[in-house]
């Protein structure tokens, strides 16, 4: 029974300054057993406590009284213990466990935390059982005016155009007050101007600063410092205040067009200048400030615009001239640029002054520079077959002198690179040749750098990357991929697949990804395993005989010949090692750990067999002991006066009450009394002759005067051995004849006639490694009998 309550409801003030708030709870007579089968009833209101708005910044010497928890289950005898938990419980707020009074031990700051969520609970002091359900309530911190208004982002910078009209909005300031805006006037702010009159004014409610004078001129005075004050308590006496400064600048209007200092300029640019890099600067002056002085430069003639570009530097307001295409002194030696500078922001009030733009002419002279050789390609890709002879040509690079004199070019390689070990380059022709045989399987790619220089000026170098791919030839024979050991189960059958093997070839796909498998033809036929080529680049190892024994031979070697599909085809012979191990049922889990453990311990095969025999003998003794304990006969009633002669043993749940009259021992002690003997009352008697065959039934009228105990027991034994159709099938017949010894010898049913049948103990292999040794022992016994 859980009662959900709200503690955020404001109530009327009590005389002590708090709020009385009745909360729902369980009545004292209501049981606090919460079970799924309980019937839920509306509980009576039992929780009652006072809720207070705790005053912040309390500086009194004593802890501030907050409120009181009280349950109507509390009879005032101290048996109720009140518990307080939640935010600040035990540190900020403490509770008297007996009276339920709550006090605040610390001075609270509403601006740091406005309220605290706590939980109250009433427990029986003796039994610690909950008298009321755990409830949640909130203690709010009451605000006082202890925070002055602040301008968090001040001081401020603002601007207004010169010559603006009166009342033009300049800037708006906003002050913040950390006090509670919903309680009193602690956060009610009023703005006023302390400095900046008569040029500017401020709205007392919104804080918007406006111009107060007309025709303010930037050239007469550009900067103003305006101080704005914000005061809380609606500006009343006793309120707290804060101030900030707004630095206002009168911005310029565009009343001055840009001007180039001169009309004609000259610039020298070498032909080696890089594309995209600056080659010169030009600047037009503007007496205005700010955005009114911003200038956009452009090249207005096509000759200059095709080869050069111009951009504006925002900091210096200069025109930066850059190269768009490579220069070539041999093709064109001079360029003429017509450059225009124009303001980007035009004030229409001053349009009568002109178009606010100016032009200048720039003549660029191209300088002749000795340039390094230029390769015909940015990079080269060559290829060569592996194992090629030393000196085989791989490819050639070409470069020329771009200058007009067309100087001869020489080629060489970077000696610091790894590629110089395998390749060389002819100095005059640029032909790349091998210096040693290459192996694709070792390194399929080589990266080298070829450099070219002019004969007349060797200091000018050009570089070009060259990548050489080593092409594959079929020079690696395939191998069997034997990542893990091949396991042969001892219970393997002829024709059973032991494992499927694959091959690997270091050559690439064109020469090595089609494999054929076979056993070596020069070796005799393997009597244990054979190999089947699956014609999908895999082969299967197949057992050829029945059953393996790791005690006889644990390891087998199987050589396999593999051919690849290359031209010409290569073959390789790999020898696999097959380990014989006992396997669990169906061979799904192969385990050789047990054998490894025993071997590591130094146990020989004979010692292992002896241990297994001892375990079997101990198991047989235990089974025999349990059987004898179960077959021990005890009298039904232990009493000296019990004269009943019936001995009954129940080893099953059959027979019923008729088993109590199964046998009469009087016939054994007094053969003369056999006339009244009832034969096997649990078997329906049938009439047969005394000397008839054993398979028939005896007649109850047979005379037993001349029958001795020996013959009587033999008859009962024959009947018990041959009769398997009547219940109970496993009845135990006991005859307690006290005579002068028995001339009949053993009457055990183990000597009863029967035919010897061969038993197949192979099913023990499926029972797991625990019965493996037992299967081997029985198998050896069968083989001895057969021999």
């Amino acid at each position: 029974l859980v009662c959900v309550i709200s503690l955020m409801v404001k109530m009327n003030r009590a005389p002590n300054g708090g709020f009385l708030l009745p909360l729902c709870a369980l009545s004292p007579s209501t049981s606090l057993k919460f079970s799924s089968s309980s019937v839920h009833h509306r509980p009576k209101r039992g929780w009652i406590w006072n809720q207070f708005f705790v005053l912040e910044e309390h500086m009194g010497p004593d802890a501030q009284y907050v409120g009181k928890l009280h349950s109507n289950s509390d009879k005032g005898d101290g048996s109720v213990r009140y518990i307080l938990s939640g935010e600040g419980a035990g540190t900020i707020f403490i509770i008297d466990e007996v009276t339920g009074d709550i006090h605040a031990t610390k001075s609270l700051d509403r601006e740091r935390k406005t309220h605290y969520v706590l939980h109250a609970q009433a427990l029986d002091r003796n039994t610690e059982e909950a008298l009321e359900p755990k409830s949640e309530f909130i203690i709010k911190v009451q605000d006082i005016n202890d925070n002055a208004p602040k301008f968090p982002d001040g001081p401020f910078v603002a601007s207004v155009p010169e010559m603006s009209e009166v009342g033009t909005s300049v800037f708006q300031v906003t002050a913040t007050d950390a006090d509670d805006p919903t309680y009193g006037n602690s956060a009610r702010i009023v703005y006023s101007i302390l400095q900046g009159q008569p040029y500017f004014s401020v709205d007392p409610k919104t804080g918007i600063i406006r111009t107060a004078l007309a025709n303010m001129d930037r050239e007469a005075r550009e900067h103003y410092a305006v101080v704005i004050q914000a005061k809380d308590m609606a500006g009343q006496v006793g309120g707290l205040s804060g101030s900030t400064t707004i630095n206002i600048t009168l911005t310029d209007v565009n009343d001055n067009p840009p001007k180039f200092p001169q009309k004609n300029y000259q610039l020298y640019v070498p032909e080696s200048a890089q594309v995209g890099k600056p080659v010169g600067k030009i600047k037009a002056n503007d007496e205005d400030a700010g955005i009114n002085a911003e200038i956009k430069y452009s090249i207005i003639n096509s000759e200059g615009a095709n080869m050069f570009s111009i951009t504006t530097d925002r900091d210096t307001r200069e025109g930066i001239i850059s190269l768009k295409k490579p220069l070539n002194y041999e093709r064109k030696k001079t360029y003429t640029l017509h450059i225009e500078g124009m303001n980007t922001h035009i004030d229409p009030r001053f349009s009568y002054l002109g178009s606010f733009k100016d032009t200048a002419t720039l003549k660029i002279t191209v300088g002749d520079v000795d340039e390094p050789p230029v390769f015909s390609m940015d990079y080269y890709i060559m290829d060569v077959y592996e194992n090629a002879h030393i000196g085989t040509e791989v490819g050639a690079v070409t470069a020329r002198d771009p200058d007009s004199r067309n100087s001869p070019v020489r080629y060489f390689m970077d000696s610091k690179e790894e590629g110089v070990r395998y390749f060389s380059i002819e100095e005059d022709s640029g032909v790349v040749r091998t210096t040693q045989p290459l192996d694709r399987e070792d390194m399929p790619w080589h990266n080298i750098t070829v450099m070219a220089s002019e004969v007349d000026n060797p200091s000018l170098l050009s570089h070009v990357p060259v990548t050489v791919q080593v092409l594959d030839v079929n020079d690696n024979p395939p191998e069997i991929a034997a990542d893990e050991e091949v396991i042969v189960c001892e219970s393997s059958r002829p024709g059973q697949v032991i494992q499927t093997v694959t091959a690997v070839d270091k050559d690439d796909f064109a020469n090595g990804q089609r494999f054929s498998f076979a056993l070596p033809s020069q070796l005799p036929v393997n009597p244990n395993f054979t190999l089947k080529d699956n014609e999908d680049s895999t082969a299967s190892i197949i057992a050829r005989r029945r059953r393996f024994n790791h005690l006889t031979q644990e390891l087998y070697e199987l050589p396999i010949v593999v051919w690849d599909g290359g031209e010409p085809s290569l073959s390789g012979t790999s020898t696999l090692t097959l380990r014989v191990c006992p396997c669990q049922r169906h061979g799904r889990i192969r385990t050789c750990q047990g054998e490894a453990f025993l071997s590591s311990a130094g146990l020989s095969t004979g010692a292992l067999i002896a241990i297994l025999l001892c375990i079997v003998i101990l198991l047989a003794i235990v089974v025999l002991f349990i059987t004898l304990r179960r077959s021990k006969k005890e009298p039904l009633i232990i009493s000296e006066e019990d004269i009943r002669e019936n001995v009954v043993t129940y080893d099953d749940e059959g027979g019923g009450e008729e088993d109590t009259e199964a046998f009469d021992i009087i016939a054994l002690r007094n053969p003369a009394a056999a006339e009244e003997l009832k034969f096997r009352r649990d078997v329906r008697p049938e009439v047969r002759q005394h000397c008839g065959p054993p398979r028939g039934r005896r007649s109850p009228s047979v005379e037993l005067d001349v029958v001795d105990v020996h013959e009587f027991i033999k008859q009962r034994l024959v009947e018990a051995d041959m009769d398997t159709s009547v219940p109970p099938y496993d009845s135990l017949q006991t005859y307690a004849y006290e005579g002068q010894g028995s001339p009949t010898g053993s009457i055990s049913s183990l000597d009863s006639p029967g035919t010897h049948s061969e038993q197949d103990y192979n099913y023990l292999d499926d029972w797991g490694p625990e019965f493996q040794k037992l299967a081997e022992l029985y198998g050896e016994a069968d083989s001895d009998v057969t021999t």
Side-chain angles (χ1 to χ4, degrees), residues 40 87 156 159 179 284 375 380 448 549 573 581 599 664 762:
H40 296 274
E87 298 177 340
F156 303 94
S159 62
D179 293 324
F375 284 95
Y380 292 86
I448 59 177
N549 193 328
T573 302
C581 288
S599 299
D664 192 353
N762 290 331

Side-chain angles (χ1 to χ4, degrees), residues 287-568:
E287 296 179 0
D288 294 323
I291 60 175
N292 292 320
E294 292 181 358
I295 301 174
K296 179 182 179 182
Y297 299 93
S298 60
I299 302 174
I300 59 178
N301 66 318
S302 59
E303 177 186 354
N306 290 334
M307 292 297 296
F308 299 90
S309 63
I310 187 169
T311 58
T312 303
D313 189 324
R314 294 184 178 275
D315 297 330
T316 62
R317 293 188 176 91
E318 294 177 327
I320 308 300
I321 302 171
S322 302
L323 188 63
K324 293 176 63 176
K325 297 180 181 179
L327 297 176
N328 192 332
Y329 174 81
E330 289 72 24
R331 294 182 181 180
K332 190 173 179 61
K333 297 179 175 59
T334 61
Y335 293 90
T336 301
L337 281 64
H338 298 292
I339 300 175
E340 179 184 79
M342 181 178 179
N343 286 137
T344 57
H345 297 81
I346 299 177
D347 193 337
R349 295 180 298 171
F350 305 97
S351 59
Y352 63 91
L353 297 177
S355 59
F356 286 84
K357 62 182 178 181
D358 194 16
T359 59
T361 302
L362 175 62
K363 184 178 181 179
I364 296 178
T365 301
V366 179
D368 187 16
V369 177
D370 191 7
E371 300 174 87
V374 177
F375 284 95
S376 60
M377 300 177 63
D378 295 334
Y379 61 91
Y380 292 86
I381 299 179
M382 306 175 183
D383 55 60
V384 62
Y385 281 98
E386 64 175 331
N387 303 327
H389 296 291
I390 297 176
T392 300
E393 181 177 344
V394 180
V397 297
T398 57
R400 65 176 183 84
D401 181 12
D403 297 324
S404 58
R405 60 177 180 270
N406 196 14
S407 175
V409 177
R410 292 182 177 178
Y411 304 93
F412 57 95
M413 297 174 59
D414 189 353
S415 59
K416 297 180 181 179
E417 290 187 343
E418 184 70 17
V420 297
R421 295 172 47 196
Y422 304 97
F423 304 96
S424 64
I425 188 169
E426 295 181 359
E427 184 177 293
D428 298 331
S429 63
V431 176
V432 180
R433 299 182 182 275
T434 61
T435 58
Q436 58 179 307
L438 304 177
D439 187 358
R440 187 201 68 87
E441 288 71 35
D442 182 34
M443 185 179 296
W445 294 88
H446 295 270
N447 295 316
I448 59 177
T449 301
V450 176
M451 294 179 287
S453 65
E454 297 180 10
V455 176
D456 299 337
N457 190 359
S459 61
L460 296 178
L461 298 177
S462 296
H463 303 75
V464 67
V466 178
T467 301
V468 180
Q469 180 183 9
V470 182
L471 302 179
D472 182 57
V473 296
N474 192 20
D475 59 344
N476 290 277
E479 300 177 351
I480 296 296
D483 296 334
E484 58 184 18
E485 192 176 40
V486 180
I487 302 300
V488 180
C489 291
E490 290 185 337
S491 59
S492 299
R493 301 291 189 271
Q496 180 177 344
V497 176
I498 302 301
Q499 185 165 322
T500 300
V501 296
T502 59
V504 293
D505 197 325
K506 295 181 180 179
D507 296 319
D508 64 6
F509 181 83
N511 291 319
Q513 297 303 316
R514 179 66 179 90
F515 303 106
S516 302
F517 303 83
L519 296 178
S521 58
Q522 67 273 16
L523 298 179
V525 177
N526 193 318
N528 301 309
F529 306 96
T530 185
L531 189 70
K532 177 185 177 183
D533 191 345
N534 298 325
E535 298 183 356
D536 59 353
S537 296
T538 64
S540 299
I541 302 175
I542 302 176
R544 298 191 63 179
R545 67 183 182 88
R546 176 187 179 87
R547 296 183 57 81
F548 294 85
N549 193 328
H550 73 286
L551 300 178
T552 303
Q553 183 174 352
E554 183 179 5
L555 300 178
Y556 293 87
E557 292 185 351
L558 181 66
I560 300 176
V561 183
V562 187
W563 290 270
D564 61 18
E567 292 293 339

Side-chain angles (χ1 to χ4, degrees), residues 160 164-170 193 195-202 209-217 220-226 248 250:
V160 62
S164 297
E165 298 179 357
V166 175
T168 301
S169 176
V170 179
I193 185 168
Q195 179 181 324
Q197 295 174 334
Y199 307 102
F200 300 94
S201 63
V202 64
I209 302 172
R210 303 179 185 273
T211 58
L213 287 178
N215 301 323
M216 287 190 294
D217 190 2
R221 182 176 178 180
E222 184 178 3
H223 301 287
Y224 296 85
V226 179
I248 302 177
L250 294 182

Side-chain angles (χ1 to χ4, degrees), residues 3-30:
C3 181
V4 180
I5 61 173
S6 173
L7 301 179
M8 298 298 293
V9 181
K10 294 184 178 180
M11 307 297 291
N12 294 329
R13 283 194 175 272
N16 58 358
F19 296 101
L20 283 176
L21 181 62
L23 301 178
C24 58
L26 299 177
S27 64
S29 60
T30 304

